Amino acid sequence: MAAPNSAPPAQAASANSKRFLILFDFDETIIAENSDDAVVRAAPGQRLPDRLTAAYREGHYNEHMQRVLAYLAEQGVAEDAIRTALEKIPPTPGLTALFNFLRAHQQDYEAVVVSDANTYFIETWLRRFGARPLFRQVFTNPAGFDAAGRLVLRPFHAHGCARCPANMCKQVILRDYLARRREERGGLAFRRVLYVGDGANDVCPSLALGPGDVVFPRRDFPMHRLLEAAAGAGGAVSGGPLKAQVVPWSSGEDVVACLQTLVKER
């Protein structure tokens, strides 16, 4: 993904002084459901044909969604219908309070989205809810409408991680971003890295965090269940030990409570 546009000197200096990096998943973390499911409601009969659902292969969800979007185009589903379906998705409980906190403390927190959704879905929703300026960068699968009006989806990258889907490893994205930002910040690392997620693919980037960092798994979702199982087995998950502190959340206000304590650090 391309790096964000360069900021004016004063803004760049402010960005480079931020103490904390917070990363968000999108589906069922920022928004209250899976955006792919929401878009299917724009299809005829609000469902997919059996041939499409039967063709899904574990670990190849990006390929599946490429076929879904092609089907929507074949059925004459236009951009307006897709955008409307996305804009109707509500935020997760308490997410508005969390965003308001980050707006009030932009001098301390740098925010990024890391998601296996796609650029069109995420950018559309964030703009609709006025949240796009909160995020320095969005890492996700590229998607856009072609000249024929079809929404075309591509994989984010290739990688060698056996734990992650073929199109995206969030740990690779996180490590690359931290290395790049440290260089841009003149060698200054973030004091803490915070990761907010819900899904199984959010476990892998959590393994890149250190003892001073915090992982926020959404309570009773796959990420939380996997981390709880790992804790019961001595703290190890597939790929290595989890070093970060784990703070489960049900509402964005649970995350705010933790961020409020961190912002008081000096």
Side-chain angles (χ1 to χ4, degrees), residues 188-201:
L188 179 65
F190 291 101
R191 183 178 298 181
R192 296 182 191 270
V193 179
L194 320 165
Y195 190 98
V196 187
D198 74 282
N201 67 349

Side-chain angles (χ1 to χ4, degrees), residues 119-192:
T119 51
Y120 182 78
F121 288 9
I122 296 175
E123 296 283 355
T124 295
W125 192 92
L126 290 177
R127 287 196 302 269
R128 166 65 179 81
F129 283 83
R132 184 59 184 91
L134 282 174
F135 296 98
R136 189 175 191 276
Q137 196 160 355
V138 173
F139 294 96
T140 189
N141 302 296
F145 284 87
D146 65 13
R150 297 171 297 194
L151 183 54
V152 178
L153 172 67
R154 300 187 302 278
F156 180 81
H157 63 184
H159 62 84
C161 177
R163 295 184 298 273
C164 291
N167 62 293
M168 176 177 285
C169 173
K170 294 184 177 184
Q171 182 176 146
V172 169
I173 294 170
L174 172 56
R175 289 187 182 278
D176 288 349
Y177 186 78
L178 287 173
R180 174 164 61 84
R181 290 295 289 131
R182 184 163 188 161
E183 181 178 356
E184 292 169 349
R185 287 158 55 93
L188 179 65
F190 291 101
R191 183 178 298 181
R192 296 182 191 270

